[in-house]
Amino acid sequence: MLKLALVETKLLTREPGALFSLLIPLFILVVFGSSIQPGDTVLLPMALAIAVGLVGLYLLPTTLATYRERGILRRLSITPVHPGSLLVVQLLLQLVLVVAACGLLMAVAGTVLGAHLPGLVFSGVLAFLLGTASMFAIGSLVAALAPNGRAANGFGVLLYFPMAYLAGLMQPVDQMPDMVALVGTFTPLGAFVESLRDVWAGSAPSPVTLGVMAAYTLVIGLAATKFFRWE
């Protein structure tokens, strides 16, 4: 298992998508960060959500579907290493990548840009874990249903942009029609962003948004498990 993790780590570091997942949110943060106020509660949560969304909906499903397409999972099934071990390692590595991307964003925001960092650590960690889990669940379902890596990439992108819009990552929520903004709250990315903004504003996340993310994680995660194919 350890050797498998080391090999997969090396492969992940050579994956251009992993680099993009680190640099794109950082670029957005730095470009817009010069104009934010010290108490801003919007930009950094937005950058964090973008980072999680890119890994969950782009990198994760593309990687898993590509492994199945190339027969890697099928070949592992006849070795002592069960293909399920590879999936577990991949999920853990993708989580580490998300933590690294978000840690980099917070470090740059706090030290270089002087941005406001939340004081509610437990609430922030809870919102982060639920948001990441819900996005990973959707990415896993995409990987389960996509016939190959290219299709998984396309499906992930098609899901990401509508969810990013509804979550207020492309247009401020207060400039949306009320019905559209309400729908966005009940999407996993929208609930994630709203929870992060609550934490940044100094209040605990709404139980509704936490429940939305937990429900997506459970329901979509079970569907991904049911429909996932090894070959």
Side-chain angles (χ1 to χ4, degrees):
M1 191 76 167
L2 178 59
K3 291 183 178 180
L4 180 61
L6 292 175
V7 171
E8 290 300 311
T9 300
K10 291 180 181 179
L11 293 175
L12 183 62
T13 58
R14 299 171 185 172
E15 171 60 48
L19 184 62
F20 292 152
S21 299
L22 288 170
L23 296 183
I24 290 177
L26 182 62
F27 174 78
I28 293 173
L29 179 69
V30 172
V31 168
F32 293 100
S34 58
S35 61
I36 64 172
Q37 300 297 320
D40 180 76
T41 62
V42 175
L43 182 60
L44 187 50
M46 180 182 74
L48 296 174
I50 290 173
V52 174
L54 285 175
V55 175
L57 292 180
Y58 167 70
L59 189 59
L60 175 64
T62 301
T63 301
L64 296 184
T66 299
Y67 277 15
R68 184 178 62 242
E69 177 188 3
R70 294 177 177 174
I72 295 174
L73 298 180
R74 175 174 50 80
R75 289 196 292 270
L76 280 177
S77 64
I78 60 174
T79 71
V81 180
H82 191 273
S85 300
L86 177 61
L87 297 185
V88 171
V89 168
Q90 269 297 324
L91 288 172
L92 291 175
L93 288 179
Q94 302 285 351
L95 177 60
V96 169
L97 177 62
V98 166
V99 171
C102 292
L104 177 62
L105 290 170
M106 294 186 68
V108 171
T111 58
V112 178
L113 302 177
H116 167 67
L117 297 179
L120 300 176
V121 177
F122 176 78
S123 296
V125 171
L126 178 61
F128 172 79
L129 290 177
L130 284 175
T132 301
S134 63
M135 300 309 294
F136 275 30
I138 296 174
S140 298
L141 182 59
V142 171
L145 298 177
N148 52 55
R150 181 174 296 181
N153 187 351
F155 293 153
V157 170
L158 286 176
L159 285 173
Y160 177 77
F161 283 104
M163 281 201 287
Y165 172 76
L166 291 171
L169 301 182
M170 298 180 178
Q171 180 180 357
V173 175
D174 55 11
Q175 296 180 14
M176 295 180 180
D178 292 341
M179 183 57 67
V180 175
L182 179 62
V183 171
T185 304
F186 290 93
T187 65
L189 196 57
F192 183 35
V193 173
E194 185 169 334
S195 296
L196 290 179
R197 288 175 179 168
D198 287 341
V199 172
W200 254 254
S203 60
S206 165
V208 174
T209 56
L210 295 178
V212 167
M213 292 185 290
Y216 274 103
T217 301
L218 178 62
V219 175
I220 303 299
L222 289 174
T225 301
K226 177 178 177 59
F227 291 113
F228 194 85
R229 295 168 289 112
W230 300 111
E231 56 181 298

